[in-house]
């Protein structure tokens, strides 16, 4: 029987204007998770679903990834666009997360528009649930999804952060 070593992921901590972020990357530099430190338990739960056998070690992310995250929070709303992300999830969840990355910085979409973007216009609730299970906050910009009436709806990092992120992107552009 083959002895498979668990994947090692690096956990980095980066100070931002809206709190410390936890950034998890793999050996290839792909982002596996990002969340705010006060939501660490949520991030660990999602990471456990997407990389159940991974070993998480404290360390520093690859410089290109770290600098992109820092640049985003200091005013470059598009700094995260080129980063590679890697998640588990169902095919539907991954399609929703890919559609989130297609929403330009400074713009928003409704849950209905998100569902339509993945070819399932009647799956509004399912798109919303997938949005809420996104393990890579900010880089996979779930904060850019709002209610059909334009209201800011739930955000795993808190509505005040969602408001800040949207205003930050609008001001940066």
């Amino acid at each position: 029987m083959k002895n498979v070593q668990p994947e090692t992921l690096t956990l980095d901590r980066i100070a931002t204007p809206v709190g410390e972020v936890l950034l998890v990357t793999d050996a290839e530099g792909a982002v596996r998770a990002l969340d705010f430190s006060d939501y660490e338990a949520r991030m660990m739960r999602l990471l456990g679903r997407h990389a159940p056998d991974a070993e998480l070690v404290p360390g520093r992310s690859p410089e290109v990834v770290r600098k992109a995250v820092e640049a985003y929070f200091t005013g470059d709303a598009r700094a995260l666009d080129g980063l590679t992300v890697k998640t588990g999830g169902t095919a539907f969840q991954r399609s929703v997360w890919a559609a989130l990355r297609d929403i330009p910085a400074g713009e928003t979409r409704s849950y209905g528009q998100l569902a339509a973007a993945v070819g399932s216009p009647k799956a509004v609730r399912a798109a919303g649930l997938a949005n809420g299970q996104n393990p890579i906050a900010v880089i996979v910009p779930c904060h850019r999804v709002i209610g059909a009436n334009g209201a800011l709806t739930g955000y795993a990092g808190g509505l005040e952060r969602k408001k800040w992120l949207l205003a930050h992107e609008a001001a940066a552009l």
Side-chain angles (χ1 to χ4, degrees):
M1 192 162 132
K2 193 175 178 183
N3 187 7
V4 178
Q5 291 291 339
E7 180 180 27
T8 300
L9 301 177
T10 301
L11 171 63
D12 196 355
R13 295 173 180 272
I14 302 172
T16 77
V18 286
E20 181 181 65
V21 296
L22 306 173
L23 174 63
V24 178
T25 52
D26 64 20
E28 289 79 41
V31 178
R32 302 294 289 276
L34 186 145
D35 215 328
F36 294 94
S37 62
D38 48 335
Y39 290 88
E40 185 168 359
R42 174 189 181 278
M43 184 192 78
M44 297 305 269
R45 187 177 67 253
L46 291 174
L47 192 57
R49 287 184 198 155
H50 297 284
D53 299 324
E55 179 184 347
L56 196 59
V57 297
R60 195 165 170 95
S61 310
E63 206 58 27
V64 67
V65 177
R66 189 173 226 283
K67 284 191 180 304
V69 171
E70 290 170 340
Y72 171 84
F73 281 102
T74 57
D76 183 354
R78 294 186 179 105
L80 306 172
D81 291 353
L83 293 179
T84 300
V85 298
K86 183 178 175 186
T87 63
T90 66
F92 182 77
Q93 286 174 324
R94 288 190 309 274
S95 71
V96 168
W97 300 332
L100 289 170
R101 291 199 82 188
D102 289 338
I103 304 171
E107 294 184 22
T108 58
R109 300 289 185 272
S110 70
Y111 290 96
Q113 289 170 315
L114 181 61
V118 298
S120 300
K122 294 184 183 207
V124 176
R125 184 167 278 162
L129 289 172
N131 191 51
Q133 294 298 308
N134 168 25
I136 307 175
V138 186
I139 297 170
V140 177
C142 49
H143 63 276
R144 295 181 188 153
V145 181
I146 60 173
N149 63 357
L152 296 186
T153 55
Y155 179 62
L159 284 181
E160 283 304 310
R161 276 203 185 106
K162 181 173 186 161
K163 190 182 301 182
W164 187 92
L165 291 166
L166 292 172
H168 171 69
E169 290 179 359
L173 298 170

